Amino acid sequence: MTDKSTRKPRILVVDDDRVTVDLLEEVLHGEGCDIDKAQSAEEGLAKALERPYDVVVSDIRMVEMDGLTLLRNLRRVSPETVVILITAFGSLESTIEAIREGAFDYLSKPFKIEEVQRTVRSALEQRRLLQRDREQPSSPAVSSDSAVIVGRSRAMSEVYKTVARVAGGRTTVLLRGESGTGKGLVARALHVNSPRASGPFVAVNLPSLPETLLESELFGHEKGAYTGATQGKHGLFEEASGGTLFLDEIGDTSLALQSKLLRAIEEQEIKRVGGNDTIHVDVRVVVATNRDLDKMMREGTFREDLFWRLNVVPIVLPPLRDRREDIPDLARHFLRKYCQRNAKEIEEFTPDAMERLVSYPWPGNVRELEHIVERAVALNQKRRIFIEDLPEALRREPARTRPTLDDLEREYIRGILAETKGSRQQAAAILGIDRKTLYRKILKYGLEDVESPRDPPA
């Protein structure tokens, strides 16, 4: 009888793309694992019924049974198997669904080999803990409804995973990023995907309120607390009780107010201005800032104890210039949104207009992109958005830079893939390289969007 403590970890790789399966097999053999392969979810499930696996690494998008259905079946027949899902089509909704269904992790294509190895090592450690404790941890209860956040880039996939994992709790979350990166949308997504979704979501932009009124707005006041207070008033902490309070631009508050916020967040208790009674509240607090809180702490303008209380789960929202691959999806999302609002039928952006959108530096981030698309829809009387429909700053020809060798290789491979209608086998033959080398370059250059037909096995 084989000693469980000495046998190699068993891993099943499931993907209907043969090259991906072979590449993952090669990568994971280096981790000292016993690898089995399946080219469909049905085949993968059949193998899992024949022998137990420690880890299953599966693509999501497959014909007939998809990866999420395979995950659900594996949870039923082999609850201790740890499942990692991989997809080229990441979104907040699919990430939340994967985490809710019990996936250990969710990787986006094109993935990095080191990322796969690191994730599998973590999954194997999780499997060892499951064997030791003999109990399956429960997944957080997450609502299927969500705020609309658009983007399939690697940076946004990391944001989605964090949102999916913490939405079910009441842990304080600190959202950091430049103005216009979508911190408010992420705050709402945390709320609507939590058990508090049926409760209130109260958002306040702190700098928009005068300092003299801010304390009263947050904590309420009693009748006669100050001149003009002719009656008592509930504050935003009380209004948000049972739900989520979103405090935007927390870095713009005074030290005195920071002290009171710390007590309210830690103790879940407040006192109204002019009152002596302690009022209990039940609030999940999400805060956001575009300021450098670390620098502010060093300068003495932000309380260190409040920072550490808020920074339990930090989520950094990337600027739009660092996730340019998301710009086409975002632009089309806003096009549909404002066409519907204005009863217009604009089908698409011209290629030249989209190129200008992608190349623009976007100092105002997603918010600026939305405003520009809204303006273009409002002024447009045609079926498409042309360059002339964009503001002058975007109409100007972007400065040309000399392409790098990587740029030239990327475009050459893209052209060959287009010529072969996505066939990896034909493209590799034309390029004079083997299919594994081609696939590595496809991953490196993010060319997964070129659909691959079912190549015959190598």
Side-chain angles (χ1 to χ4, degrees):
M1 184 174 178
T2 303
D3 184 351
K4 289 183 179 180
S5 65
T6 59
R7 73 165 173 81
K8 287 183 178 181
R10 294 192 188 112
I11 297 179
L12 175 64
V13 176
V14 185
D15 197 311
D16 55 4
D17 181 60
R18 174 69 177 272
V19 178
T20 303
V21 171
D22 290 345
L23 178 62
L24 287 170
E25 179 189 29
E26 180 182 328
V27 168
L28 297 176
H29 262 312
E31 297 296 303
C33 300
D34 181 5
I35 311 296
D36 280 349
K37 300 182 291 184
Q39 287 191 247
S40 70
E42 293 85 353
E43 182 186 357
L45 183 59
K47 286 179 178 288
L49 289 170
E50 292 173 359
R51 65 181 303 200
Y53 290 96
D54 298 296
V55 175
V56 172
V57 181
S58 173
D59 192 20
I60 286 185
R61 291 173 69 96
M62 293 180 283
V63 295
E64 298 182 12
M65 186 190 297
D66 62 17
L68 284 170
T69 305
L70 173 62
L71 169 61
R72 295 185 193 104
N73 282 304
L74 287 171
R75 293 266 290 174
R76 178 173 51 83
V77 302
S78 181
E80 289 189 350
T81 296
V82 181
V83 180
I84 299 168
L85 294 176
I86 298 178
T87 183
F89 303 91
S91 69
L92 175 61
E93 292 78 8
S94 60
T95 305
I96 285 174
E97 186 174 7
I99 299 297
R100 185 179 70 231
E101 293 288 350
F104 173 73
D105 209 337
Y106 180 98
L107 303 178
S108 295
K109 293 180 181 178
F111 52 77
K112 296 180 180 178
I113 290 174
E114 297 81 6
E115 181 183 20
V116 174
Q117 292 170 328
R118 184 173 61 251
T119 303
V120 168
R121 290 184 201 122
S122 298
L124 289 171
E125 178 61 27
Q126 173 82 346
R127 178 71 170 96
R128 283 189 285 271
L129 291 173
L130 288 171
Q131 283 182 319
R132 185 192 68 188
D133 297 337
R134 289 297 182 188
E135 59 182 29
Q136 180 73 18
S138 59
S139 300
V142 186
S143 168
S144 61
D145 198 10
S146 65
V148 178
I149 304 175
V150 177
R152 295 183 289 180
S153 61
R154 185 179 301 277
M156 290 308 296
S157 292
E158 292 303 311
V159 171
Y160 299 156
K161 285 196 288 187
T162 306
V163 169
R165 286 170 176 158
V166 304
R170 60 175 302 158
T171 304
T172 305
V173 177
L174 173 60
L175 305 174
R176 307 183 75 165
E178 297 175 8
S179 293
T181 48
K183 297 187 290 293
L185 284 176
V186 174
R188 185 172 290 277
L190 285 164
H191 173 72
V192 300
N193 290 289
S194 77
R196 295 171 170 266
S198 60
F201 177 80
V202 178
V204 56
N205 182 264
L206 297 172
S208 69
L209 298 171
E211 181 70 27
T212 52
L213 296 179
L214 195 50
E215 185 178 351
S216 173
E217 286 295 316
L218 289 172
F219 305 120
H221 63 255
E222 299 291 358
K223 180 180 179 180
Y226 53 84
T227 303
T230 57
Q231 58 185 9
K233 176 188 174 183
H234 288 186
L236 297 179
F237 268 87
E238 288 180 84
E239 288 184 18
S241 194
T244 303
L245 177 62
F246 174 46
L247 302 175
D248 198 8
E249 302 306 346
I250 191 73
D252 291 65
T253 54
S254 67
L255 288 170
L257 185 61
Q258 290 170 28
S259 176
K260 293 176 180 178
L261 283 172
L262 176 63
R263 180 178 182 276
I265 294 169
E266 281 193 330
E267 306 296 333
Q268 291 283 292
E269 292 178 347
I270 62 166
K271 285 186 179 179
R272 293 177 185 162
V273 176
N276 295 316
D277 295 337
T278 297
I279 301 171
H280 177 75
V281 292
D282 174 21
V283 177
R284 199 234 185 118
V285 176
V286 178
V287 301
T289 185
N290 63 5
R291 302 186 64 179
D292 186 343
L293 297 186
D294 304 87
K295 180 181 178 183
M296 292 179 67
M297 282 192 295
R298 292 193 299 270
E299 294 172 345
T301 56
F302 198 86
R303 292 179 62 105
E304 187 173 351
D305 50 3
L306 177 59
F307 173 80
W308 292 117
R309 186 64 189 83
L310 299 177
N311 198 45
V312 179
V313 178
I315 299 179
V316 178
L317 277 295
L320 190 53
R321 62 183 174 274
D322 289 348
R323 55 180 186 112
R324 292 183 186 275
E325 61 267 46
D326 289 336
I327 291 174
D329 285 344
L330 282 162
R332 293 183 184 108
H333 167 73
F334 294 134
L335 179 63
R336 289 191 297 270
K337 174 180 176 179
Y338 289 105
C339 280
Q340 186 175 15
R341 285 193 183 182
N342 294 278
K344 289 194 171 184
E345 295 184 1
I346 303 172
E347 297 172 353
E348 183 57 284
F349 297 85
T350 65
D352 287 347
M354 183 62 77
E355 181 184 357
R356 296 298 171 85
L357 293 178
V358 172
S359 63
Y360 184 66
W362 297 110
N365 291 298
V366 178
R367 185 184 296 133
E368 182 183 9
L369 173 60
E370 179 173 5
H371 290 165
I372 282 177
V373 174
E374 181 182 10
R375 172 188 180 277
V377 170
L379 298 176
N380 191 283
Q381 300 298 325
K382 302 178 285 291
R383 303 290 289 188
R384 295 195 292 171
I385 302 291
F386 291 81
I387 285 181
E388 54 264 32
D389 298 313
L390 303 176
E392 182 182 352
L394 278 82
R395 292 200 301 270
R396 289 195 292 267
E397 185 75 21
R400 296 292 179 183
T401 58
R402 184 170 295 181
T404 66
L405 287 174
D406 277 356
D407 292 333
L408 295 172
E409 184 176 50
R410 179 192 299 109
E411 292 311 308
Y412 185 64
I413 293 174
R414 186 195 299 276
I416 297 298
L417 286 169
E419 182 182 325
T420 62
K421 295 183 171 58
S423 170
R424 272 61 162 169
Q425 186 178 37
Q426 293 180 39
I430 293 171
L431 291 165
I433 58 178
D434 61 51
R435 287 170 62 189
K436 289 183 181 179
T437 300
L438 172 61
Y439 193 71
R440 289 193 185 95
K441 290 182 182 293
I442 288 172
L443 295 178
K444 176 183 177 181
Y445 294 132
L447 299 176
E448 278 291 308
D449 58 327
V450 181
E451 288 295 328
S452 173
R454 296 291 171 263
D455 284 334

